[in-house]
Amino acid sequence: MGAIETEHLTKQFADLRGVHDLTLSVPVGEVFGLLGPSGAGKTTTLRMLLDLVRPTAGRVTVLGESPSSARVRARIGYVPADVVFESRESVLSLLRGLDRARGGRNAARMRTLADRLGLDTGRKVRTLSPGNRRRLALVQAFMHDPELLLLDEPASALNPAGRAELVSLIRQARSEGRTVLLCARQATEAWEVADRVGVLHEGRLVGVERVEQRTARRPPRRVQVHFADPVPRADFFGLPGVTELGLDGRVLWCMVDGPLDPLIKAAARHAVIDMIITEPTPSEALINRYYAATHQAFGSVA
């Protein structure tokens, strides 16, 4: 039994489907990156894992139990995408209250985390900047050493030093056998720490890969070709490995996954002024690949 198990998990919101038919298994001790743009279903998925939202259909277990179990909640650390703290007390007072609610055993860990993240515990909570609110959310999520960490956009509003410390905390959690589900729009942190990454698009899980597999492959390249005269789109449509094809008169752009030879031969039938080839980061390549695959397989999903 994995730390997270879902089978055909679905959440319908009125006329819109938040998550559709999500089947996912995250084993104990894994860092799993769940990537996708705003509205893809990442936050809805986390809320179902926390029993904050009940699924319309399907099954979910967290740490071997129903998410509604109080025992499970005590074993989870959660950082929401939108961090809201309205308390008038100090950061230290708030964290001490949370520690008491969890048994009062984590004061030393709390102070260590605050120091690592650069969080001033003497400040009033209501006066904190967005970056410091995020640091506070991270301290409260990590300080009781939970078995499972559910992190929704955890790097949001953090400066480079804070992001580096977040990566270090996630790596440490994995080394201690803890499980992390990291949701993000941008894949930078996920790519650094995740064992596997999956892409959600319009509520559907459209692909999962191990990071080392994707890193070992040469990522698709962005190609821009400038011609002396306008060229017909039909000459380039359907070429092997060519996706995201765009054409504006004398300028063609696309992604090429695989050999460039078919595109070069098609372009050579016209007068080429320039060809610009750039390689995206592995994380960009993964997202681009799966978004394109999703549109081909499903079209527009409501």
Side-chain angles (χ1 to χ4, degrees):
M1 178 69 69
I4 297 171
E5 298 282 350
T6 74
E7 291 184 4
H8 308 296
L9 195 64
T10 298
K11 179 59 183 179
Q12 181 90 31
F13 292 105
D15 296 331
L16 298 176
R17 180 174 288 127
V19 174
H20 174 73
D21 199 32
L22 175 63
T23 296
L24 178 67
S25 178
V26 180
V28 172
E30 180 176 76
V31 177
F32 188 92
L34 191 59
L35 311 179
S38 296
K42 305 185 303 296
T43 295
T44 298
T45 298
L46 288 189
R47 288 175 176 171
M48 286 191 284
L49 297 178
L50 291 160
D51 197 43
L52 300 176
V53 171
R54 295 290 174 88
T56 305
R59 186 185 71 85
V60 54
T61 60
V62 178
L63 299 174
E65 299 189 52
S66 166
S68 62
S69 166
R71 293 188 302 272
V72 166
R73 292 181 187 142
R75 298 158 65 193
I76 294 175
Y78 173 50
V79 173
D82 298 318
V83 178
V84 179
F85 292 107
E86 299 296 342
S87 174
R88 294 177 178 270
E89 60 189 328
S90 70
V91 170
L92 182 58
S93 177
L94 176 64
L95 290 173
R96 281 175 172 169
L98 291 171
D99 184 35
R100 286 194 298 271
R102 292 166 172 164
R105 298 184 297 272
N106 305 297
R109 171 72 166 157
M110 175 187 72
R111 288 191 295 270
T112 298
L113 287 168
D115 289 343
R116 286 180 64 174
L117 289 165
L119 176 64
D120 183 355
T121 59
R123 295 279 301 276
K124 297 293 185 182
V125 172
R126 55 188 287 198
T127 69
L128 294 178
S129 66
N132 279 317
R133 286 175 180 267
R134 182 64 58 181
R135 290 178 175 86
L136 173 55
L138 289 167
V139 171
Q140 65 80 28
F142 278 82
M143 71 182 193
H144 60 300
D145 290 328
E147 295 173 49
L148 173 62
L149 286 149
L150 302 177
L151 311 179
D152 199 353
E153 302 290 348
S156 174
L158 293 179
N159 60 21
R163 288 171 181 258
E165 199 56 57
L166 170 64
V167 167
S168 177
L169 286 171
I170 294 173
R171 285 175 173 160
Q172 180 181 341
R174 177 175 53 193
S175 72
E176 295 168 349
R178 308 183 194 283
T179 308
V180 182
L181 179 60
L182 168 62
C183 294
R185 290 187 296 271
Q186 302 296 324
T188 304
E189 288 75 26
W191 205 261
E192 288 188 59
V193 297
D195 300 293
R196 291 186 300 154
V197 292
V199 175
L200 270 181
H201 182 63
E202 296 184 347
R204 297 177 184 269
L205 183 66
V206 297
V208 176
E209 286 190 359
R210 296 200 67 81
V211 168
E212 65 266 23
Q213 290 176 340
R214 190 60 189 171
T215 303
R217 292 181 54 185
R218 183 172 187 175
R221 285 146 288 175
R222 295 190 186 93
V223 180
Q224 189 177 94
V225 186
H226 295 253
F227 297 95
D229 300 295
V231 297
R233 189 175 189 275
D235 286 4
F236 303 91
F237 184 78
L239 292 175
V242 174
T243 60
E244 300 180 38
L245 178 67
L247 181 63
D248 183 10
R250 293 188 292 267
V251 180
L252 176 145
W253 60 92
C254 63
M255 297 292 294
V256 180
D257 191 357
L260 290 169
D261 186 60
L263 177 64
I264 291 173
K265 287 179 177 176
R269 294 197 291 266
H270 307 274
V272 176
I273 296 175
D274 195 10
M275 177 178 284
I276 303 167
I277 303 172
T278 58
E279 291 197 3
T281 66
S283 57
E284 290 173 329
L286 175 69
I287 292 173
N288 290 338
R289 172 187 168 193
Y290 280 127
Y291 286 176
T294 302
H295 281 297
Q296 292 173 3
F298 300 116
S300 179
V301 181

